[in-house]
Amino acid sequence: MLVIHGIGGQRTDFAEPLIRGVNREVKRLGADASAIAWQSVYWDDLLVPRQQAYLKRALKDGRLNYQRLRQFVVSALGDAGAYRQRPSGSVAGAKSGRTYERVHARIREQLSELYHGPLSGRPLPLVLMAHSFGGHILSNYVWDSQQTLDRHLSAFERMHWLAGFITFGCNIPLFTFAVDKPVPIRFPATRLPARFKEKARWLNFYDPDDVLGWPLKPVSSAYARSVDADIRLQVGGAVGGWTPAAHLLYWRDRRFARHVA
């Protein structure tokens, strides 16, 4: 299982509540949770220093209202903007130094660590879990892997064993409006062994109060075919669960963990 976070300030252990919750539910079902190899992809540190430096300068005189909300906006919109933006002063078409490549390099590193570490070089079905903007990032990563052959990577690292995609609080639709007919990644992976293909699933979870989480099937007919289900799920409790703050509450929600298990 490869887990990636989305927008907003994150800690390096961001995935731990979800991992504990899913493992607990797997055990409750009578299965062996230790058979699941987890790997998280943390990339927030690539942008936080610049965001915090700007906020410190902008907020020091105290003349801006809603400072906590502004911090979230800088983090959220700043992440999305920086991910695609070409660095100022760079040559058009140049890729070196782009946040896009730096984030994808982080994914590649963690995939390699998962494959050569816990999996000991054994290709096994891969499930991706992506929160929020992380869904857009992983979708791009898989797309690039499917379009370009890198013979230096194993079949597992080239996403040939992609058997599951779980997106939650996903905002992929917001990044599809530049084209008339958005096309998703090929799912399940074309070269996934047949015995796993019939069980492959792309499940998209969204809380109705989460304004950053959206259904994927309405994006296009191609998405409607690739995504197995858009699942409406109330996450969080009485505090925050019935507000847009639900976007941040999937990680610790027992009902969500139960669905994943």
Side-chain angles (χ1 to χ4, degrees):
M1 299 275 278
L2 189 79
V3 190
I4 191 170
H5 65 77
I7 58 176
Q10 302 289 339
R11 294 161 42 121
T12 55
D13 61 351
F14 70 92
E16 288 305 312
L18 177 62
I19 293 172
R20 287 195 301 269
V22 172
N23 284 344
R24 180 178 59 244
E25 294 301 322
V26 168
K27 291 177 182 176
R28 188 181 63 83
L29 293 171
D32 181 11
S34 66
I36 304 173
W38 292 89
Q39 192 74 30
S40 59
V41 181
Y42 173 73
W43 55 269
D44 198 40
D45 59 311
L46 298 176
L47 298 175
V48 162
R50 295 171 186 166
Q51 292 171 350
Q52 291 300 316
Y54 170 74
L55 281 168
K56 184 177 180 179
R57 294 192 299 269
L59 300 179
K60 68 178 181 179
D61 61 7
R63 290 190 296 174
L64 293 174
N65 298 328
Y66 303 106
Q67 293 195 5
R68 292 189 64 182
L69 179 58
R70 285 177 181 275
Q71 291 176 22
F72 176 77
V73 169
V74 167
S75 177
L77 298 185
D79 286 351
Y83 176 65
R84 278 294 191 179
Q85 181 64 40
R86 178 164 51 88
S88 58
S90 62
V91 178
K95 292 185 176 181
S96 178
R98 277 180 54 187
T99 302
Y100 185 94
E101 277 72 33
R102 294 168 68 205
V103 172
H104 285 208
R106 188 68 60 84
I107 297 171
R108 190 161 49 250
E109 291 167 5
Q110 297 308 311
L111 265 174
S112 177
E113 188 168 326
L114 174 63
Y115 180 64
H116 295 287
L119 299 186
S120 301
R122 296 171 299 156
L124 293 172
L126 172 64
V127 176
L128 304 178
M129 293 193 66
H131 176 241
S132 184
F133 185 58
H136 178 58
I137 292 174
L138 271 188
S139 177
N140 285 336
Y141 185 87
V142 174
W143 176 275
D144 291 348
S145 298
Q146 293 176 341
Q147 304 303 314
T148 305
L149 176 62
D150 187 341
R151 297 188 182 279
H152 295 96
L153 300 177
S154 66
F156 178 85
E157 294 165 286
R158 295 201 301 268
M159 294 291 168
H160 290 176
W161 284 75
L162 178 58
F165 199 3
I166 299 173
T167 46
F168 50 109
C170 181
N171 34 63
I172 283 178
L174 306 184
F175 301 94
T176 64
F177 303 140
V179 294
D180 290 330
K181 297 180 180 179
V183 178
I185 60 172
R186 292 193 296 272
F187 184 87
T190 305
R191 298 188 183 183
L192 182 69
R195 66 185 184 278
F196 298 122
K197 272 190 178 181
E198 61 184 26
K199 297 181 179 180
R201 297 289 185 274
W202 181 347
L203 304 178
N204 178 56
F205 295 87
Y206 66 95
D207 184 295
D209 300 301
D210 174 8
V211 297
L212 293 176
W214 294 85
L216 292 179
K217 281 182 171 290
V219 169
S220 67
S221 58
Y223 267 89
R225 290 190 298 270
S226 294
V227 178
D228 289 279
D230 283 318
I231 301 173
R232 184 180 186 271
L233 182 68
Q234 198 82 47
V235 298
V239 179
W242 298 88
T243 73
H247 185 67
L248 304 174
L249 302 180
Y250 297 86
W251 299 102
R252 297 178 181 274
D253 189 80
R254 177 164 290 188
R255 285 164 295 185
F256 176 58
R258 190 171 298 140
H259 276 279
V260 173

